[in-house]
PDB file of all heavy atoms in Angstrom:
ATOM      1  N   CYS A   1      77.251  92.840  83.208  1.00  0.00           N
ATOM      2  CA  CYS A   1      76.259  93.230  82.213  1.00  0.00           C
ATOM      3  C   CYS A   1      76.028  92.059  81.263  1.00  0.00           C
ATOM      4  O   CYS A   1      76.979  91.351  80.907  1.00  0.00           O
ATOM      5  CB  CYS A   1      76.724  94.459  81.436  1.00  0.00           C
ATOM      6  SG  CYS A   1      75.522  95.053  80.209  1.00  0.00           S
ATOM      7  N   GLY A   2      74.781  91.886  80.848  1.00  0.00           N
ATOM      8  CA  GLY A   2      74.458  90.786  79.951  1.00  0.00           C
ATOM      9  C   GLY A   2      74.349  91.178  78.497  1.00  0.00           C
ATOM     10  O   GLY A   2      73.985  90.345  77.662  1.00  0.00           O
ATOM     11  N   MET A   3      74.678  92.432  78.152  1.00  0.00           N
ATOM     12  CA  MET A   3      74.487  92.899  76.782  1.00  0.00           C
ATOM     13  C   MET A   3      75.687  92.611  75.880  1.00  0.00           C
ATOM     14  O   MET A   3      75.600  92.704  74.665  1.00  0.00           O
ATOM     15  CB  MET A   3      74.145  94.386  76.770  1.00  0.00           C
ATOM     16  CG  MET A   3      72.833  94.715  77.481  1.00  0.00           C
ATOM     17  SD  MET A   3      71.355  93.956  76.751  1.00  0.00           S
ATOM     18  CE  MET A   3      71.082  92.532  77.854  1.00  0.00           C
ATOM     19  N   ASN A   4      76.858  92.304  76.467  1.00  0.00           N
ATOM     20  CA  ASN A   4      77.972  91.682  75.743  1.00  0.00           C
ATOM     21  C   ASN A   4      78.526  92.514  74.590  1.00  0.00           C
ATOM     22  O   ASN A   4      78.953  91.955  73.568  1.00  0.00           O
ATOM     23  CB  ASN A   4      77.534  90.305  75.233  1.00  0.00           C
ATOM     24  CG  ASN A   4      78.700  89.372  74.955  1.00  0.00           C
ATOM     25  OD1 ASN A   4      79.839  89.667  75.319  1.00  0.00           O
ATOM     26  ND2 ASN A   4      78.421  88.261  74.305  1.00  0.00           N
ATOM     27  N   CYS A   5      78.536  93.837  74.715  1.00  0.00           N
ATOM     28  CA  CYS A   5      79.169  94.662  73.676  1.00  0.00           C
ATOM     29  C   CYS A   5      80.679  94.404  73.704  1.00  0.00           C
ATOM     30  O   CYS A   5      81.307  94.519  74.765  1.00  0.00           O
ATOM     31  CB  CYS A   5      78.870  96.138  73.913  1.00  0.00           C
ATOM     32  SG  CYS A   5      77.106  96.531  73.839  1.00  0.00           S
ATOM     33  N   PRO A   6      81.293  94.060  72.572  1.00  0.00           N
ATOM     34  CA  PRO A   6      82.676  93.583  72.580  1.00  0.00           C
ATOM     35  C   PRO A   6      83.724  94.631  72.910  1.00  0.00           C
ATOM     36  O   PRO A   6      84.862  94.273  73.229  1.00  0.00           O
ATOM     37  CB  PRO A   6      82.863  93.041  71.154  1.00  0.00           C
ATOM     38  CG  PRO A   6      81.859  93.787  70.332  1.00  0.00           C
ATOM     39  CD  PRO A   6      80.680  93.993  71.234  1.00  0.00           C
ATOM     40  N   PHE A   7      83.384  95.923  72.851  1.00  0.00           N
ATOM     41  CA  PHE A   7      84.365  96.971  73.165  1.00  0.00           C
ATOM     42  C   PHE A   7      84.238  97.450  74.607  1.00  0.00           C
ATOM     43  O   PHE A   7      84.926  98.382  75.008  1.00  0.00           O
ATOM     44  CB  PHE A   7      84.197  98.163  72.213  1.00  0.00           C
ATOM     45  CG  PHE A   7      82.809  98.743  72.204  1.00  0.00           C
ATOM     46  CD1 PHE A   7      82.455  99.736  73.100  1.00  0.00           C
ATOM     47  CD2 PHE A   7      81.864  98.293  71.301  1.00  0.00           C
ATOM     48  CE1 PHE A   7      81.180 100.260  73.102  1.00  0.00           C
ATOM     49  CE2 PHE A   7      80.578  98.817  71.292  1.00  0.00           C
ATOM     50  CZ  PHE A   7      80.237  99.803  72.191  1.00  0.00           C
ATOM     51  N   CYS A   8      83.361  96.809  75.405  1.00  0.00           N
ATOM     52  CA  CYS A   8      83.082  97.247  76.767  1.00  0.00           C
ATOM     53  C   CYS A   8      83.563  96.201  77.764  1.00  0.00           C
ATOM     54  O   CYS A   8      83.177  95.026  77.688  1.00  0.00           O
ATOM     55  CB  CYS A   8      81.577  97.476  76.929  1.00  0.00           C
ATOM     56  SG  CYS A   8      81.067  97.850  78.620  1.00  0.00           S
ATOM     57  N   ALA A   9      84.401  96.616  78.705  1.00  0.00           N
ATOM     58  CA  ALA A   9      84.947  95.674  79.686  1.00  0.00           C
ATOM     59  C   ALA A   9      83.851  95.079  80.555  1.00  0.00           C
ATOM     60  O   ALA A   9      83.899  93.900  80.912  1.00  0.00           O
ATOM     61  CB  ALA A   9      85.986  96.383  80.563  1.00  0.00           C
ATOM     62  N   THR A  10      82.847  95.867  80.892  1.00  0.00           N
ATOM     63  CA  THR A  10      81.753  95.366  81.720  1.00  0.00           C
ATOM     64  C   THR A  10      80.997  94.260  80.996  1.00  0.00           C
ATOM     65  O   THR A  10      80.708  93.196  81.549  1.00  0.00           O
ATOM     66  CB  THR A  10      80.776  96.491  82.101  1.00  0.00           C
ATOM     67  OG1 THR A  10      81.511  97.624  82.564  1.00  0.00           O
ATOM     68  CG2 THR A  10      79.822  96.033  83.177  1.00  0.00           C
ATOM     69  N   GLY A  11      80.641  94.515  79.740  1.00  0.00           N
ATOM     70  CA  GLY A  11      79.894  93.534  78.969  1.00  0.00           C
ATOM     71  C   GLY A  11      80.669  92.252  78.737  1.00  0.00           C
ATOM     72  O   GLY A  11      80.097  91.158  78.710  1.00  0.00           O
ATOM     73  N   GLN A  12      81.973  92.378  78.567  1.00  0.00           N
ATOM     74  CA  GLN A  12      82.785  91.189  78.319  1.00  0.00           C
ATOM     75  C   GLN A  12      82.919  90.308  79.552  1.00  0.00           C
ATOM     76  O   GLN A  12      83.228  89.130  79.454  1.00  0.00           O
ATOM     77  CB  GLN A  12      84.164  91.611  77.816  1.00  0.00           C
ATOM     78  CG  GLN A  12      84.156  92.174  76.402  1.00  0.00           C
ATOM     79  CD  GLN A  12      83.585  91.199  75.399  1.00  0.00           C
ATOM     80  OE1 GLN A  12      84.225  90.219  75.047  1.00  0.00           O
ATOM     81  NE2 GLN A  12      82.353  91.442  74.959  1.00  0.00           N
ATOM     82  N   ALA A  13      82.681  90.867  80.723  1.00  0.00           N
ATOM     83  CA  ALA A  13      82.780  90.091  81.958  1.00  0.00           C
ATOM     84  C   ALA A  13      81.525  89.269  82.222  1.00  0.00           C
ATOM     85  O   ALA A  13      81.535  88.365  83.057  1.00  0.00           O
ATOM     86  CB  ALA A  13      83.038  91.025  83.139  1.00  0.00           C
ATOM     87  N   GLY A  14      80.422  89.562  81.509  1.00  0.00           N
ATOM     88  CA  GLY A  14      79.179  88.842  81.730  1.00  0.00           C
ATOM     89  C   GLY A  14      78.385  89.416  82.895  1.00  0.00           C
ATOM     90  O   GLY A  14      78.822  90.330  83.590  1.00  0.00           O
ATOM     91  N   LEU A  15      77.206  88.859  83.107  1.00  0.00           N
ATOM     92  CA  LEU A  15      76.297  89.344  84.145  1.00  0.00           C
ATOM     93  C   LEU A  15      76.393  88.473  85.391  1.00  0.00           C
ATOM     94  O   LEU A  15      76.214  87.258  85.325  1.00  0.00           O
ATOM     95  CB  LEU A  15      74.854  89.339  83.622  1.00  0.00           C
ATOM     96  CG  LEU A  15      73.763  89.753  84.605  1.00  0.00           C
ATOM     97  CD1 LEU A  15      73.977  91.182  85.085  1.00  0.00           C
ATOM     98  CD2 LEU A  15      72.388  89.601  83.961  1.00  0.00           C
ATOM     99  N   THR A  16      76.695  89.114  86.520  1.00  0.00           N
ATOM    100  CA  THR A  16      76.730  88.405  87.798  1.00  0.00           C
ATOM    101  C   THR A  16      75.347  88.393  88.437  1.00  0.00           C
ATOM    102  O   THR A  16      74.812  87.342  88.764  1.00  0.00           O
ATOM    103  CB  THR A  16      77.744  89.050  88.750  1.00  0.00           C
ATOM    104  OG1 THR A  16      79.047  88.986  88.153  1.00  0.00           O
ATOM    105  CG2 THR A  16      77.769  88.323  90.085  1.00  0.00           C
ATOM    106  N   ARG A  17      74.749  89.578  88.609  1.00  0.00           N
ATOM    107  CA  ARG A  17      73.370  89.650  89.119  1.00  0.00           C
ATOM    108  C   ARG A  17      72.837  91.065  89.017  1.00  0.00           C
ATOM    109  O   ARG A  17      73.586  92.025  88.805  1.00  0.00           O
ATOM    110  CB  ARG A  17      73.287  89.165  90.563  1.00  0.00           C
ATOM    111  CG  ARG A  17      73.870  90.087  91.622  1.00  0.00           C
ATOM    112  CD  ARG A  17      73.384  89.626  92.987  1.00  0.00           C
ATOM    113  NE  ARG A  17      73.998  90.311  94.106  1.00  0.00           N
ATOM    114  CZ  ARG A  17      73.531  91.445  94.639  1.00  0.00           C
ATOM    115  NH1 ARG A  17      72.493  92.058  94.100  1.00  0.00           N
ATOM    116  NH2 ARG A  17      74.140  91.968  95.694  1.00  0.00           N
ATOM    117  N   ASN A  18      71.527  91.185  89.170  1.00  0.00           N
ATOM    118  CA  ASN A  18      70.884  92.494  89.265  1.00  0.00           C
ATOM    119  C   ASN A  18      71.129  93.098  90.644  1.00  0.00           C
ATOM    120  O   ASN A  18      71.267  92.379  91.634  1.00  0.00           O
ATOM    121  CB  ASN A  18      69.376  92.360  89.057  1.00  0.00           C
ATOM    122  CG  ASN A  18      69.003  92.079  87.620  1.00  0.00           C
ATOM    123  OD1 ASN A  18      69.685  92.511  86.690  1.00  0.00           O
ATOM    124  ND2 ASN A  18      67.906  91.349  87.426  1.00  0.00           N
ATOM    125  N   LEU A  19      71.153  94.418  90.702  1.00  0.00           N
ATOM    126  CA  LEU A  19      71.192  95.113  91.978  1.00  0.00           C
ATOM    127  C   LEU A  19      69.770  95.405  92.443  1.00  0.00           C
ATOM    128  O   LEU A  19      68.853  95.529  91.629  1.00  0.00           O
ATOM    129  CB  LEU A  19      71.970  96.425  91.869  1.00  0.00           C
ATOM    130  CG  LEU A  19      73.424  96.356  91.423  1.00  0.00           C
ATOM    131  CD1 LEU A  19      74.087  97.712  91.614  1.00  0.00           C
ATOM    132  CD2 LEU A  19      74.190  95.284  92.152  1.00  0.00           C
ATOM    133  N   SER A  20      69.602  95.516  93.733  1.00  0.00           N
ATOM    134  CA  SER A  20      68.317  95.934  94.286  1.00  0.00           C
ATOM    135  C   SER A  20      68.189  97.442  94.155  1.00  0.00           C
ATOM    136  O   SER A  20      69.174  98.159  93.911  1.00  0.00           O
ATOM    137  CB  SER A  20      68.212  95.523  95.750  1.00  0.00           C
ATOM    138  OG  SER A  20      69.130  96.273  96.548  1.00  0.00           O
ATOM    139  N   THR A  21      66.966  97.934  94.323  1.00  0.00           N
ATOM    140  CA  THR A  21      66.756  99.378  94.312  1.00  0.00           C
ATOM    141  C   THR A  21      67.664 100.073  95.318  1.00  0.00           C
ATOM    142  O   THR A  21      68.323 101.068  95.003  1.00  0.00           O
ATOM    143  CB  THR A  21      65.283  99.697  94.628  1.00  0.00           C
ATOM    144  OG1 THR A  21      64.481  99.347  93.493  1.00  0.00           O
ATOM    145  CG2 THR A  21      65.083 101.176  94.931  1.00  0.00           C
ATOM    146  N   ALA A  22      67.703  99.546  96.533  1.00  0.00           N
ATOM    147  CA  ALA A  22      68.491 100.195  97.582  1.00  0.00           C
ATOM    148  C   ALA A  22      69.985 100.132  97.280  1.00  0.00           C
ATOM    149  O   ALA A  22      70.726 101.075  97.616  1.00  0.00           O
ATOM    150  CB  ALA A  22      68.199  99.558  98.932  1.00  0.00           C
ATOM    151  N   GLU A  23      70.457  99.062  96.664  1.00  0.00           N
ATOM    152  CA  GLU A  23      71.881  98.987  96.313  1.00  0.00           C
ATOM    153  C   GLU A  23      72.242 100.056  95.281  1.00  0.00           C
ATOM    154  O   GLU A  23      73.357 100.581  95.295  1.00  0.00           O
ATOM    155  CB  GLU A  23      72.220  97.596  95.778  1.00  0.00           C
ATOM    156  CG  GLU A  23      72.270  96.527  96.850  1.00  0.00           C
ATOM    157  CD  GLU A  23      72.461  95.140  96.287  1.00  0.00           C
ATOM    158  OE1 GLU A  23      71.911  94.844  95.192  1.00  0.00           O
ATOM    159  OE2 GLU A  23      73.139  94.307  96.933  1.00  0.00           O
ATOM    160  N   ILE A  24      71.311 100.377  94.398  1.00  0.00           N
ATOM    161  CA  ILE A  24      71.551 101.446  93.424  1.00  0.00           C
ATOM    162  C   ILE A  24      71.551 102.800  94.130  1.00  0.00           C
ATOM    163  O   ILE A  24      72.456 103.621  93.941  1.00  0.00           O
ATOM    164  CB  ILE A  24      70.481 101.403  92.313  1.00  0.00           C
ATOM    165  CG1 ILE A  24      70.543 100.075  91.554  1.00  0.00           C
ATOM    166  CG2 ILE A  24      70.678 102.564  91.350  1.00  0.00           C
ATOM    167  CD1 ILE A  24      69.393  99.856  90.585  1.00  0.00           C
ATOM    168  N   VAL A  25      70.542 103.028  94.964  1.00  0.00           N
ATOM    169  CA  VAL A  25      70.430 104.310  95.672  1.00  0.00           C
ATOM    170  C   VAL A  25      71.615 104.531  96.601  1.00  0.00           C
ATOM    171  O   VAL A  25      72.141 105.651  96.705  1.00  0.00           O
ATOM    172  CB  VAL A  25      69.110 104.361  96.466  1.00  0.00           C
ATOM    173  CG1 VAL A  25      69.053 105.611  97.347  1.00  0.00           C
ATOM    174  CG2 VAL A  25      67.916 104.327  95.526  1.00  0.00           C
ATOM    175  N   GLU A  26      72.047 103.488  97.261  1.00  0.00           N
ATOM    176  CA  GLU A  26      73.123 103.623  98.246  1.00  0.00           C
ATOM    177  C   GLU A  26      74.414 104.116  97.601  1.00  0.00           C
ATOM    178  O   GLU A  26      75.233 104.771  98.258  1.00  0.00           O
ATOM    179  CB  GLU A  26      73.342 102.291  98.960  1.00  0.00           C
ATOM    180  CG  GLU A  26      74.465 102.270  99.992  1.00  0.00           C
ATOM    181  CD  GLU A  26      74.214 103.157 101.206  1.00  0.00           C
ATOM    182  OE1 GLU A  26      73.107 103.705 101.352  1.00  0.00           O
ATOM    183  OE2 GLU A  26      75.145 103.297 102.018  1.00  0.00           O
ATOM    184  N   GLN A  27      74.629 103.846  96.315  1.00  0.00           N
ATOM    185  CA  GLN A  27      75.811 104.381  95.633  1.00  0.00           C
ATOM    186  C   GLN A  27      75.786 105.903  95.637  1.00  0.00           C
ATOM    187  O   GLN A  27      76.814 106.553  95.850  1.00  0.00           O
ATOM    188  CB  GLN A  27      75.855 103.868  94.191  1.00  0.00           C
ATOM    189  CG  GLN A  27      76.061 102.371  94.056  1.00  0.00           C
ATOM    190  CD  GLN A  27      75.894 101.910  92.614  1.00  0.00           C
ATOM    191  OE1 GLN A  27      76.648 102.297  91.737  1.00  0.00           O
ATOM    192  NE2 GLN A  27      74.888 101.089  92.381  1.00  0.00           N
ATOM    193  N   VAL A  28      74.610 106.478  95.405  1.00  0.00           N
ATOM    194  CA  VAL A  28      74.480 107.936  95.386  1.00  0.00           C
ATOM    195  C   VAL A  28      74.639 108.495  96.793  1.00  0.00           C
ATOM    196  O   VAL A  28      75.309 109.515  97.000  1.00  0.00           O
ATOM    197  CB  VAL A  28      73.128 108.354  94.778  1.00  0.00           C
ATOM    198  CG1 VAL A  28      73.022 109.878  94.718  1.00  0.00           C
ATOM    199  CG2 VAL A  28      72.959 107.768  93.387  1.00  0.00           C
ATOM    200  N   VAL A  29      74.024 107.846  97.768  1.00  0.00           N
ATOM    201  CA  VAL A  29      74.147 108.299  99.151  1.00  0.00           C
ATOM    202  C   VAL A  29      75.599 108.228  99.611  1.00  0.00           C
ATOM    203  O   VAL A  29      76.106 109.150 100.266  1.00  0.00           O
ATOM    204  CB  VAL A  29      73.225 107.478 100.068  1.00  0.00           C
ATOM    205  CG1 VAL A  29      73.461 107.828 101.531  1.00  0.00           C
ATOM    206  CG2 VAL A  29      71.761 107.719  99.702  1.00  0.00           C
ATOM    207  N   ALA A  30      76.296 107.128  99.264  1.00  0.00           N
ATOM    208  CA  ALA A  30      77.712 107.001  99.631  1.00  0.00           C
ATOM    209  C   ALA A  30      78.535 108.118  99.004  1.00  0.00           C
ATOM    210  O   ALA A  30      79.444 108.676  99.643  1.00  0.00           O
ATOM    211  CB  ALA A  30      78.243 105.637  99.206  1.00  0.00           C
ATOM    212  N   ALA A  31      78.225 108.464  97.763  1.00  0.00           N
ATOM    213  CA  ALA A  31      78.952 109.546  97.095  1.00  0.00           C
ATOM    214  C   ALA A  31      78.667 110.883  97.763  1.00  0.00           C
ATOM    215  O   ALA A  31      79.566 111.715  97.936  1.00  0.00           O
ATOM    216  CB  ALA A  31      78.565 109.601  95.628  1.00  0.00           C
ATOM    217  N   ALA A  32      77.408 111.110  98.148  1.00  0.00           N
ATOM    218  CA  ALA A  32      77.062 112.359  98.819  1.00  0.00           C
ATOM    219  C   ALA A  32      77.792 112.485 100.151  1.00  0.00           C
ATOM    220  O   ALA A  32      78.203 113.579 100.550  1.00  0.00           O
ATOM    221  CB  ALA A  32      75.552 112.433  99.031  1.00  0.00           C
ATOM    222  N   ARG A  33      77.982 111.365 100.834  1.00  0.00           N
ATOM    223  CA  ARG A  33      78.762 111.401 102.074  1.00  0.00           C
ATOM    224  C   ARG A  33      80.217 111.754 101.777  1.00  0.00           C
ATOM    225  O   ARG A  33      80.859 112.481 102.535  1.00  0.00           O
ATOM    226  CB  ARG A  33      78.687 110.044 102.769  1.00  0.00           C
ATOM    227  CG  ARG A  33      77.305 109.719 103.337  1.00  0.00           C
ATOM    228  CD  ARG A  33      77.270 108.314 103.891  1.00  0.00           C
ATOM    229  NE  ARG A  33      75.945 107.960 104.393  1.00  0.00           N
ATOM    230  CZ  ARG A  33      75.394 106.768 104.259  1.00  0.00           C
ATOM    231  NH1 ARG A  33      76.056 105.792 103.645  1.00  0.00           N
ATOM    232  NH2 ARG A  33      74.189 106.527 104.742  1.00  0.00           N
ATOM    233  N   THR A  34      80.730 111.252 100.649  1.00  0.00           N
ATOM    234  CA  THR A  34      82.092 111.601 100.241  1.00  0.00           C
ATOM    235  C   THR A  34      82.215 113.108 100.033  1.00  0.00           C
ATOM    236  O   THR A  34      83.198 113.733 100.444  1.00  0.00           O
ATOM    237  CB  THR A  34      82.462 110.856  98.942  1.00  0.00           C
ATOM    238  OG1 THR A  34      82.495 109.451  99.201  1.00  0.00           O
ATOM    239  CG2 THR A  34      83.818 111.297  98.412  1.00  0.00           C
ATOM    240  N   LEU A  35      81.216 113.694  99.413  1.00  0.00           N
ATOM    241  CA  LEU A  35      81.224 115.146  99.211  1.00  0.00           C
ATOM    242  C   LEU A  35      81.195 115.878 100.544  1.00  0.00           C
ATOM    243  O   LEU A  35      81.916 116.858 100.749  1.00  0.00           O
ATOM    244  CB  LEU A  35      80.022 115.564  98.365  1.00  0.00           C
ATOM    245  CG  LEU A  35      79.923 115.020  96.942  1.00  0.00           C
ATOM    246  CD1 LEU A  35      78.703 115.594  96.248  1.00  0.00           C
ATOM    247  CD2 LEU A  35      81.176 115.339  96.142  1.00  0.00           C
ATOM    248  N   ARG A  36      80.348 115.418 101.436  1.00  0.00           N
ATOM    249  CA  ARG A  36      80.215 116.083 102.726  1.00  0.00           C
ATOM    250  C   ARG A  36      81.525 116.047 103.506  1.00  0.00           C
ATOM    251  O   ARG A  36      81.870 116.975 104.233  1.00  0.00           O
ATOM    252  CB  ARG A  36      79.101 115.437 103.544  1.00  0.00           C
ATOM    253  CG  ARG A  36      78.844 116.153 104.857  1.00  0.00           C
ATOM    254  CD  ARG A  36      77.625 115.591 105.569  1.00  0.00           C
ATOM    255  NE  ARG A  36      77.806 114.187 105.911  1.00  0.00           N
ATOM    256  CZ  ARG A  36      76.861 113.443 106.496  1.00  0.00           C
ATOM    257  NH1 ARG A  36      75.680 113.968 106.750  1.00  0.00           N
ATOM    258  NH2 ARG A  36      77.093 112.189 106.789  1.00  0.00           N
ATOM    259  N   HIS A  37      82.265 114.959 103.327  1.00  0.00           N
ATOM    260  CA  HIS A  37      83.544 114.828 104.039  1.00  0.00           C
ATOM    261  C   HIS A  37      84.665 115.610 103.360  1.00  0.00           C
ATOM    262  O   HIS A  37      85.793 115.625 103.850  1.00  0.00           O
ATOM    263  CB  HIS A  37      83.933 113.360 104.135  1.00  0.00           C
ATOM    264  CG  HIS A  37      82.976 112.545 104.961  1.00  0.00           C
ATOM    265  ND1 HIS A  37      82.810 111.181 104.779  1.00  0.00           N
ATOM    266  CD2 HIS A  37      82.132 112.906 105.947  1.00  0.00           C
ATOM    267  CE1 HIS A  37      81.905 110.752 105.640  1.00  0.00           C
ATOM    268  NE2 HIS A  37      81.482 111.775 106.353  1.00  0.00           N
TER     269      HIS A  37
END
């Protein structure tokens, strides 16, 4: 993350890159498969 809030571990690590639309959606699909299993 590039917003750098000092109490947030994600922000303190800095920004590596943006995700694509499909990379965001695939997280939900992967979770739904976890539920199905």
